[in-house]
Amino acid sequence: MTDIKQNNFLTDKASEAPRGTRGGKSEDRTTGRNTKKQELIRLLGGKNGADIARLSDKLGWQPHSVRAAMTGLRKDGYDIQKKLGPGGKPVRYRISSSRVSPQAGGVEAEK
């Protein structure tokens, strides 16, 4: 005899959602909303860039998460420059160009 509660997981709305879309944190493909990564790129792409506190506030992330996301952007080929603020102001980060080709790392393949 099959318990009805056991079969509910097959019809649960959350289980039918495409992978990576639960919790509303990824891009909504139907409305074209920006992802947090796209928002980070936009904020860093401004003329003066942004400091960690502003990025943390705008994205709703902890400062260490902002720094980790910027590291991910660097690995994706974005050239992020750091500029010291005058008179003890916080360091500002800025994307200098939209994208640079990532450097080839590791050992060359042997023939």
Side-chain angles (χ1 to χ4, degrees):
M1 188 179 218
T2 305
D3 187 7
I4 294 176
K5 289 183 181 181
Q6 283 181 326
N7 290 332
N8 281 347
F9 75 93
L10 295 175
T11 59
D12 185 21
K13 295 279 185 200
S15 66
E16 294 174 5
R19 188 176 195 156
T21 60
R22 294 182 193 155
K25 292 187 178 183
S26 64
E27 180 182 339
D28 183 356
R29 289 169 186 20
T30 58
T31 62
R33 286 188 323 176
N34 286 340
T35 63
K36 295 275 183 139
K37 180 179 178 180
Q38 290 169 334
E39 183 68 13
L40 176 61
I41 292 167
R42 186 188 66 76
L43 291 168
L44 292 173
K47 183 178 179 180
N48 295 322
D51 61 19
I52 295 291
R54 180 169 185 251
L55 294 170
S56 179
D57 182 51
K58 291 286 186 181
L59 297 169
W61 292 347
Q62 295 292 319
H64 65 273
S65 299
V66 172
R67 289 188 289 272
M70 286 194 299
T71 298
L73 289 179
R74 284 185 185 106
K75 288 180 179 182
D76 285 345
Y78 288 91
D79 182 25
I80 299 176
Q81 295 180 344
K82 180 167 74 169
K83 182 178 179 183
L84 296 174
K89 290 194 177 185
V91 174
R92 298 189 71 82
Y93 297 89
R94 182 177 168 272
I95 294 178
S96 62
S97 60
S98 62
R99 248 183 143 160
V100 295
S101 59
Q103 297 177 355
V107 180
E108 292 182 11
E110 295 182 42
K111 293 182 179 181

